[in-house]
Amino acid sequence: DKKTKSWKEIAKPSWEKKVIHNVKDFDDFLLDTLHETDSEFRLMLYRDKKYKSKLKHIIIDEFQDNNYLQFELAKILATGKAENHITVVGDINQTIYTFQGANPEIFNEFKDHYKPKEIHLKYNYRSTPQIVELANKLLKKDSYLDETHYESITKNDSGKKIQINEFCNTEDEYDFFQEVIFDKIGKEFQRRGKKEEITFGNFVILARTNAIRLQIRKALIKRGIPVRSKTFHRLEGKPI
């Protein structure tokens, strides 16, 4: 149909460019593995007895980030001795990679296919009660779960109220970072029952993209704040 044709027209330049530059994207790795179209990446040797005898248990973490292709690969791997010995760990409410094909319905498909035993991990060991309470309230309003909503609980000590700030521009935002950091430096805080002095290493700023991370890093250094930043590397972006 017209819609399918338009998508093919959009995808064609991308395919041609990948062939010219000898590169693959994330979907290519999955498709090549599943359909055995590329001998260099043919991981379907797991079907052979040699690999079947080695794989006894399959464990998939962050299951909510998986798409249907990945689930099909998991089912193929879970054969032989590993058949019916597959465990997935995930939180349906953390499904944030829908733009990469992740779908919360994959949980229901897993249940239908394997009829597994479910274990709900309700304790949150990282966050303060204030954060856990707010998260539970938000997830009640926008939850993927049609049935019972599983709330998290914590036994951690009470923390400060959650603060939300809006800024007119990035410079105001960076000035706020500077103000907060310099205000806290040198003060004492409790950590695992011991008093410690706050240093620059006790602050963490999370950025959504690599570009934003670099902007924040530059702004903090300019303001006399030492920075140690981490980046990520995308395997599918590297030449083969």
Side-chain angles (χ1 to χ4, degrees):
D1 56 18
K2 292 183 178 180
K3 185 176 181 180
T4 304
K5 184 179 180 181
S6 64
W7 276 112
K8 287 182 178 179
E9 290 174 350
I10 293 172
K12 186 178 179 181
S14 174
W15 294 332
E16 292 175 345
K17 188 174 181 179
K18 286 187 289 186
V19 171
I20 294 172
H21 295 282
N22 192 29
V23 296
K24 291 179 179 289
D25 61 21
F26 185 68
D27 291 337
D28 293 328
F29 285 114
L30 295 176
L31 289 169
D32 289 346
T33 302
L34 190 62
H35 296 145
E36 304 181 75
T37 58
D38 191 327
S39 60
E40 189 175 353
F41 292 94
R42 189 179 300 166
L43 302 182
M44 301 304 289
L45 294 174
Y46 285 109
R47 293 179 181 273
D48 295 344
K49 293 181 180 180
K50 176 183 177 181
Y51 289 91
K52 281 186 178 182
S53 63
K54 289 184 177 181
L55 294 176
K56 298 180 180 179
H57 303 279
I58 304 295
I59 301 177
I60 304 174
D61 195 13
E62 304 292 357
F63 190 61
Q64 73 278 352
D65 296 338
N66 283 256
N67 57 39
Y68 285 107
L69 281 176
Q70 291 166 310
F71 186 37
E72 287 301 314
L73 287 174
K75 287 191 287 187
I76 292 173
L77 292 175
T79 55
K81 290 185 178 181
E83 188 171 4
N84 296 324
H85 289 271
I86 179 170
T87 301
V88 300
V89 182
D91 182 354
I92 197 169
N93 286 315
Q94 292 187 40
T95 306
I96 60 174
Y97 285 101
T98 52
F99 65 93
Q100 289 185 347
N103 191 322
E105 280 299 317
I106 199 172
F107 283 87
N108 293 328
E109 294 216 5
F110 182 84
K111 293 177 187 179
D112 293 339
H113 188 81
Y114 289 103
K115 306 296 187 293
K117 177 183 178 180
E118 294 184 51
I119 301 174
H120 299 284
L121 308 177
K122 60 182 181 179
Y123 283 99
N124 182 307
Y125 296 97
R126 296 178 178 177
S127 306
T128 63
Q130 288 83 354
I131 294 175
V132 173
E133 182 182 359
L134 178 59
N136 284 329
K137 288 180 178 179
L138 291 173
L139 291 174
K140 276 184 178 179
K141 293 184 177 182
D142 189 21
S143 176
Y144 284 117
L145 295 176
D146 294 329
E147 57 272 8
T148 305
H149 172 74
Y150 298 101
E151 291 193 351
S152 295
I153 59 177
T154 183
K155 294 182 178 180
N156 291 339
D157 294 335
S158 180
K160 293 184 178 181
K161 290 183 178 180
I162 297 172
Q163 183 178 352
I164 300 175
N165 295 283
E166 291 188 49
F167 305 95
C168 295
N169 52 59
T170 54
E171 287 301 314
D172 287 347
E173 182 180 2
Y174 302 150
D175 288 341
F176 174 77
F177 292 158
Q178 176 185 353
E179 180 183 340
V180 171
I181 292 172
F182 282 136
D183 179 63
K184 301 293 184 183
I185 287 292
K187 293 182 179 179
E188 290 187 341
F189 73 106
Q190 289 284 340
R191 188 178 195 180
R192 296 173 182 172
K194 296 181 180 180
K195 286 186 177 181
E196 295 186 18
E197 185 177 290
I198 296 177
T199 66
F200 286 113
N202 294 122
F203 295 91
V204 176
I205 299 175
L206 303 179
R208 185 171 180 82
T209 66
N210 223 12
I212 295 175
R213 177 190 65 84
L214 293 173
Q215 292 173 8
I216 294 174
R217 181 179 185 276
K218 183 178 179 180
L220 293 180
I221 292 175
K222 180 181 177 181
R223 288 164 172 76
I225 300 173
V227 178
R228 185 177 179 183
S229 60
K230 292 186 178 181
T231 185
F232 60 88
H233 302 282
R234 302 184 69 88
L235 174 65
E236 63 268 27
K238 295 181 177 293
I240 305 302

